[in-house]
């Protein structure tokens, strides 16, 4: 989880710091793939709510990626991803 959390934060930062829509889309695609993996395994591991949140954000990113030539990172998406990684931090600490 620690590695995935780091990749989510790094790719979110990269996506939010570029003005090139296709670069934004490439970074968001990485985040979406990680969230997809988390959503798929979280419920099995007993973290259903965490998995549902991962799926919700994954779907939000999917909507952005429907038009990669116009991809932008909204402040709401950034806030959602930061909140998600903070929840991951708590889960990591609770081990």
């Amino acid at each position: 989880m620690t590695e995935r959390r780091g990749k989510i934060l790094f790719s979110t930062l990269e996506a939010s710091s570029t003005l090139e829509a296709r670069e934004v889309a490439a970074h968001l695609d990485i985040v979406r793939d990680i969230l997809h993996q988390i959503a798929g395994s979280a419920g099995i591991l007993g973290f259903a709510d965490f998995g549902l949140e991962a799926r919700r954000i994954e779907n939000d990113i999917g909507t952005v990626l429907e038009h990669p030539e116009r991809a932008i990172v909204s402040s709401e998406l950034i806030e959602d991803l930061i909140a998600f990684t903070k929840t991951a931090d708590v889960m990591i600490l609770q081990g």
Side-chain angles (χ1 to χ4, degrees):
M1 178 60 83
T2 302
E3 183 180 333
R4 288 179 179 175
R5 177 200 164 278
K7 287 181 180 180
I8 288 170
L9 287 172
F10 178 79
S11 293
T12 300
L13 178 63
E14 291 294 307
S16 64
S17 62
T18 184
L19 298 176
E20 175 59 44
R22 295 220 182 256
E23 286 183 41
V24 171
H27 291 295
L28 288 179
D29 196 41
I30 292 168
V31 174
R32 181 179 61 172
D33 287 347
I34 295 167
L35 291 170
H36 180 77
Q37 293 168 5
I38 292 170
S41 59
I44 295 168
L45 298 173
F47 302 104
D49 290 343
F50 189 65
L52 290 173
E53 183 64 5
R55 184 75 68 207
R56 184 189 67 75
I57 300 170
E58 174 194 359
N59 290 336
D60 289 348
I61 292 173
T63 300
V64 172
L65 294 179
E66 288 176 3
H67 301 285
E69 71 281 357
R70 296 189 310 233
I72 61 166
V73 181
S74 68
S75 59
E76 181 180 342
L77 180 57
I78 292 171
E79 290 171 10
D80 286 348
L81 287 165
I82 289 171
F84 183 81
T85 58
K86 285 182 180 180
T87 301
D89 287 343
V90 170
M91 292 172 66
I92 291 166
L93 290 174
Q94 292 176 345

